Amino acid sequence: MRMTDLPATDLADRLRRRGVIVRIGPFVVRLGTTFRELVEPVHLLYRHYELVDEGGIVDFDVRVEPAWSVRRPLTRLGKFLIDGEPAFAPFPRAIALPMMEWALNWCLFTRPQQYLILHAAVVEKHGRALLLPGRPGSGKSTLCAALVLRGWRLLSDEVAMMRPGTLDLIAAPLPVGLKDASIDVIRQFDASAVLGPSTPGTRKGTVAHMQPPEASISRVHETARPAWIAFPAWSPDAQRACEPTSKARTTMRLADDAVNFSILGTPAFHTLAELVDSCACFDLRYSDLDDAIALLDRLAEGDDVDASPDAPLTVEARS
């Protein structure tokens, strides 16, 4: 049974009571809330996700509930209960939806210490995965969303996960987070994109989420082998450039953004080194999504690509 098979009235009742249990990659997650305004967005954004029956092990239990503050007694607030315990400071109820997505990502980043976790979007085509590490503002999630809308499979827009000692990338897709101008960019890029409501006033500005395609969710149990690591950098005036970067520099950049590198220690170092060694590593500067995707599609087809500004789409980004 999938979320789409559950009527919205039943979903509202389940969320209010014990919560609804969904599968997100290798994880089983219980979501619950008494906020009725979250029912429709959850039903929309998670429509393709598998529902899990009661009685099994739940990895993360996330509830969003009303909160009250002495300092702000007239402000409508929300709070998180994660695994039954209060977590984080109360937040304005108006931003409950993006905060719920943030809480789910926080669980994925901090709880499953059996995996090496890197901060990167991951998409796959023809069984080979492209990692897109990037700091805020780099265009990582926008490029990830656009690639998914052009047929690449979404593994995650936030986390690259693998077990130490293996290079199999594990899918754990959540709705793709977009902010500010990226929201309209994706709407204009592909009219078929299904986006939830836009929420202004978050610490990241206005935020909206894109529903993952059914094909990505139905293949959530499939791993992918890493083939490319691209550090995206979007700029409105950038000429297309795809420049190889050294393995040493790539390793350091990824280690800086590894969530649990220090916890896993030596196995994490060896896994990260093997990951980088197995991939073509490059910086990708672009201003046009279609142009960047055409280049990445050529890589996925096995072509060596010259991405100099005046070259046809035919950079050599090999090690």
Side-chain angles (χ1 to χ4, degrees), residues 11-25:
L11 174 62
D13 186 61
R14 288 199 193 187
L15 287 170
R16 180 173 57 86
R17 294 176 182 274
R18 289 184 54 81
V20 62
I21 306 175
V22 298
R23 186 175 301 282
I24 301 174

Side-chain angles (χ1 to χ4, degrees), residues 109-187:
F109 274 119
T110 61
R111 295 300 180 88
Q113 301 298 339
Q114 69 270 39
Y115 302 108
L116 173 61
I117 301 173
L118 308 176
H119 185 203
V122 186
V123 292
E124 171 268 327
K125 196 168 190 178
H126 304 320
R128 297 189 295 169
L130 166 68
L131 283 76
L132 296 168
R135 299 295 174 91
S138 66
K140 166 181 66 72
S141 292
T142 310
L143 180 57
C144 172
L147 285 164
V148 169
L149 291 166
R150 289 294 184 266
W152 290 66
R153 176 168 67 105
L154 175 68
L155 278 75
S156 175
D157 81 312
E158 288 287 349
V159 293
M161 293 196 312
M162 64 203 80
R163 290 188 180 277
T166 78
L167 295 184
D168 294 327
L169 288 158
I170 297 167
L174 286 168
V176 179
L178 303 168
K179 61 181 183 293
D180 295 330
S182 294
I183 301 169
D184 285 334
V185 166
I186 291 300
R187 283 200 178 106

Side-chain angles (χ1 to χ4, degrees), residues 99-287:
M99 290 299 290
M100 185 184 75
E101 293 296 323
W102 181 83
L104 288 169
N105 275 312
W106 181 85
C107 289
L108 293 181
F109 274 119
T110 61
R111 295 300 180 88
Q113 301 298 339
Q114 69 270 39
Y115 302 108
L116 173 61
I117 301 173
L118 308 176
H119 185 203
V122 186
V123 292
E124 171 268 327
K125 196 168 190 178
H126 304 320
R128 297 189 295 169
L130 166 68
L131 283 76
L132 296 168
R135 299 295 174 91
S138 66
K140 166 181 66 72
S141 292
T142 310
L143 180 57
C144 172
L147 285 164
V148 169
L149 291 166
R150 289 294 184 266
W152 290 66
R153 176 168 67 105
L154 175 68
L155 278 75
S156 175
D157 81 312
E158 288 287 349
V159 293
M161 293 196 312
M162 64 203 80
R163 290 188 180 277
T166 78
L167 295 184
D168 294 327
L169 288 158
I170 297 167
L174 286 168
V176 179
L178 303 168
K179 61 181 183 293
D180 295 330
S182 294
I183 301 169
D184 285 334
V185 166
I186 291 300
R187 283 200 178 106
Q188 296 170 15
F189 178 76
D190 194 323
S192 71
V194 178
L195 271 65
S198 296
T199 304
T202 79
R203 64 185 183 184
K204 294 184 177 182
T206 297
V207 173
H209 292 85
M210 187 183 84
Q211 177 197 97
E214 183 176 6
S216 293
I217 302 304
S218 65
R219 297 174 58 195
V220 74
H221 299 294
E222 297 181 26
T223 59
R225 298 292 290 182
W228 312 279
I229 300 171
F231 295 88
W234 179 87
S235 173
D237 302 317
Q239 292 183 310
R240 185 184 74 240
C242 181
E243 299 175 352
T245 184
S246 74
K247 302 289 189 181
R249 177 169 168 74
T250 298
T251 301
M252 293 301 297
R253 293 165 80 178
L254 289 178
D256 283 344
D257 281 340
V259 176
N260 57 350
F261 194 74
S262 61
I263 295 174
L264 295 177
T266 301
F269 175 81
H270 288 304
T271 301
L272 184 61
E274 291 176 13
L275 168 70
V276 173
D277 194 51
S278 71
C279 290
C281 308
F282 51 93
D283 290 306
L284 175 63
R285 295 193 301 276
Y286 70 98
S287 59

